Amino acid sequence: MLIERGGELVTREEIKKLLWRNDTTVDFDHSINVAIGTLRRALGDSADSPRYIETVARRGYRLLVAPEWPGSATDSPCSRRDEPVAEMPADLARVGIETQPPRRYAGRWFAAAALFVVVATGVRLYWGLRNQTSLSDTGTIVLADISNRTGDPVLDDALNAALRLSLDQTPFLNVLGADKVRGTLTVLKLSATRVTPETARQVCLRTNSKM
């Protein structure tokens, strides 16, 4: 959306409408912040002194660099006339980011692999719950934090957010809100920085959650 607007404002409301259906109930503000933060980390950008993505307070975001579009399909082996690709900024190339067209698909493969892991985890969790615990329409589960062993800090928040968003959209599960989890951990005098399986069990008992 930022590239397509070519420097014009993309509002948070527009991002919300594009990413989520009208009947979706999630923490939109937090999810959008995580997505923008992931983009900034990938670009080596900063919210305080942005070079690529500018935050317009309480409104949305704007791309600070002008994208350049290929003139024809022959300009790049991987580009098509109906699918233009923005050119990599020169200063990104200088810090060692590969700009050859075949590498453009590396990010897509990585994102697809991460999405597959999240979906597979969600399906496995659902079937495990279905086979072991009978959840009513108001049954609630508590999510423990995902253990990110890839060594890539970008995934610390991204995988947790993706799993929560996926499970929030199924009618079979009700995920206890993150604010309620943190509040319960505070009452129990437990660390609120990370939810382990053990602390999740204690939160379940305290909040009368099913799993």
Side-chain angles (χ1 to χ4, degrees):
M1 293 178 73
L2 291 170
I3 290 175
E4 288 175 351
R5 291 293 177 87
E8 296 181 4
L9 178 71
V10 177
T11 67
R12 294 175 68 89
E13 185 65 24
E14 289 173 325
I15 296 174
K16 170 185 171 181
K17 289 181 179 179
L18 179 68
L19 296 184
W20 294 284
R21 302 189 304 269
N22 292 333
D23 59 346
T24 303
T25 302
V26 297
D27 187 346
F28 299 108
D29 288 333
H30 175 71
S31 301
I32 292 175
N33 292 341
V34 169
I36 294 297
T38 302
L39 284 176
R40 282 192 170 123
R41 283 193 293 270
L43 294 170
D45 202 7
S46 168
D48 297 327
S49 54
R51 292 182 298 163
Y52 303 111
I53 301 176
E54 175 190 16
T55 298
V56 181
R58 295 182 296 277
R59 294 185 61 195
Y61 305 92
R62 180 184 292 115
L63 190 66
L64 296 178
V65 294
E68 296 181 10
W69 307 97
S72 68
T74 58
D75 290 342
S76 168
C78 292
S79 64
R80 294 175 8 195
R81 290 183 183 273
D82 59 343
E83 193 175 297
V85 180
E87 184 174 300
M88 179 74 71
D91 48 354
L92 281 185
R94 285 199 297 272
V95 297
I97 295 181
E98 179 61 62
T99 60
Q100 294 301 316
R103 289 297 298 275
R104 287 179 181 146
Y105 290 95
R108 297 180 186 179
W109 280 110
F110 181 78
L115 179 61
F116 174 79
V117 171
V118 170
V119 173
T121 302
V123 171
R124 181 178 179 183
L125 176 61
Y126 164 63
W127 282 110
L129 290 174
R130 183 175 181 179
N131 293 333
Q132 297 178 17
T133 305
S134 178
L135 288 173
S136 64
D137 293 340
T138 58
T140 304
I141 66 170
V142 177
L143 292 180
D145 285 341
I146 292 176
S147 178
N148 175 22
R149 299 181 181 179
T150 66
D152 187 348
V154 171
L155 296 180
D156 285 343
D157 294 328
L159 286 179
N160 277 301
L163 179 58
R164 175 172 289 276
L165 289 175
S166 297
L167 294 181
D168 277 340
Q169 296 182 51
T170 173
F172 303 104
L173 299 172
N174 177 37
V175 184
L176 190 66
D179 55 337
K180 294 184 179 180
V181 172
R182 287 192 296 268
T184 305
L185 289 173
T186 301
V187 171
L188 295 174
K189 297 181 179 181
L190 298 172
S191 172
T193 58
R194 186 169 184 81
V195 181
T196 65
E198 176 57 28
T199 56
R201 187 185 70 83
Q202 295 186 51
V203 171
C204 282
L205 295 174
R206 181 79 181 191
T207 59
N208 196 30
S209 299
K210 290 287 186 179
M211 177 67 69

